[in-house]
Amino acid sequence: MLILEQVKLKSHKRLIGLHPVVVAATLALIERSYARGVNIVITQGLRTIEEQDALYAQGRTKPGPIVTNAKGGTSYHNFGLAVDFALLLPDEKQVSWDLKRDGDADGMGDWTEVVQEAKALGFEWGGDFISIKDAPHFQMAFGLTTSQLRAGKEPTASQVAAAYIKIGKCTKEDSEVKKDVIVSVIVDGLKVADGVADEGVTYTPARAIAEALGATVSYDAKSKTVTINSKEAK
């Protein structure tokens, strides 16, 4: 049986590039689902415009069923504000999208349990969409349209602080004092990640920064150690 940290590790690559508060909410979702006896895996996180266009072409100009109405630049995945998930099966390798599966035998579908926790954390669920239902999909739109996001608009600091409060990462008083600010991290003139500035400390994804500098990153779950190796070290 996997411990919580092992379950989290199965999703860590799909969290790279997501908005920091979405990362926090997604990790909280994995934790809360685990506490209810349901293991989940994040199958999609940040998606490029090209990847979105390829997905949109499915069922239209390419084989397969239509799975999205969103062209490149019109999905919240393209802006790091959405994730897709699946249920991790007992063999700890395969996943399931069976909405009726009750693996923990508690009388409630595992999928329903995950959706309940996601909504409690502030996620919008794709299963509530009117046109094409997207049951594996969760997003945090912050009231912004994809048109606004394409134009460069971002969630406000107060919206981000409120989201952190909802997922239990800080109290209302903390948010009023700290005033978390979303910052852009630029390496050699190119934006590589978003971070959160809090009382003079900036929190950013280690992998995104390291890889932008040509280094490799590895994580040891047992010792909870992140190792960065530069080209010079090699």
Side-chain angles (χ1 to χ4, degrees):
M1 180 179 176
L2 295 177
I3 63 172
L4 177 57
E5 290 305 317
Q6 291 173 314
V7 175
K8 285 183 177 179
L9 194 58
K10 286 183 175 292
S11 296
H12 82 282
K13 290 183 179 179
R14 302 295 196 287
L15 304 184
I16 297 171
L18 293 175
H19 190 290
V21 76
V22 176
V23 173
T26 302
L27 289 173
L29 177 60
I30 295 173
E31 293 169 1
R32 292 191 183 189
S33 298
Y34 182 88
R36 293 183 66 163
V38 181
N39 290 343
I40 64 171
V41 173
I42 301 306
T43 58
Q44 284 278 295
L46 179 67
R47 192 182 293 151
T48 66
I49 302 296
E50 293 74 21
E51 289 170 336
Q52 189 66 40
D53 281 334
L55 196 61
Y56 179 81
Q58 183 175 312
R60 294 181 172 89
T61 58
K62 293 183 178 180
I66 292 177
V67 294
T68 182
N69 283 331
K71 296 182 179 180
T74 64
S75 168
Y76 288 96
H77 280 285
N78 301 148
F79 304 96
L81 297 177
V83 296
D84 292 343
F85 84 100
L87 303 173
L88 182 63
L89 293 178
D91 66 3
E92 301 173 357
K93 296 179 181 179
Q94 299 185 74
V95 297
S96 170
W97 288 269
D98 183 354
L99 274 61
K100 296 182 179 180
R101 176 181 170 78
D102 184 13
D104 56 352
D106 62 356
M108 179 180 289
D110 297 344
W111 204 275
T112 299
E113 294 184 75
V114 177
V115 171
Q116 285 181 347
E117 295 299 337
K119 289 184 174 182
L121 288 163
F123 279 113
E124 300 169 24
W125 180 43
D128 292 329
F129 291 172
I130 296 175
S131 56
I132 294 181
K133 303 291 185 182
D134 193 355
H137 180 90
F138 296 124
Q139 66 184 38
M140 284 190 173
F142 296 100
L144 298 172
T145 66
T146 54
S147 295
Q148 290 174 314
L149 291 167
R150 288 198 303 276
K153 193 166 184 179
E154 299 180 352
T156 65
S158 60
Q159 285 178 313
V160 171
Y164 276 121
I165 292 170
K166 196 171 186 68
I167 62 178
K169 294 302 181 183
C170 63
T171 65
K172 183 176 181 180
E173 290 73 19
D174 288 336
S175 68
E176 290 174 347
V177 173
K178 295 180 180 178
K179 300 295 184 184
D180 291 351
V181 177
I182 302 302
V183 298
S184 296
V185 180
I186 297 175
V187 175
D188 294 333
L190 296 175
K191 179 178 176 180
V192 298
D194 284 319
V196 175
D198 178 16
E199 296 185 340
V201 179
T202 300
Y203 300 90
T204 60
R207 183 176 297 277
I209 307 303
E211 290 182 348
L213 294 171
T216 59
V217 181
S218 60
Y219 175 68
D220 186 322
K222 186 175 182 180
S223 63
K224 294 184 175 61
T225 302
V226 174
T227 301
I228 299 176
N229 290 312
S230 65
K231 289 183 177 178
E232 289 74 10
K234 292 180 181 178

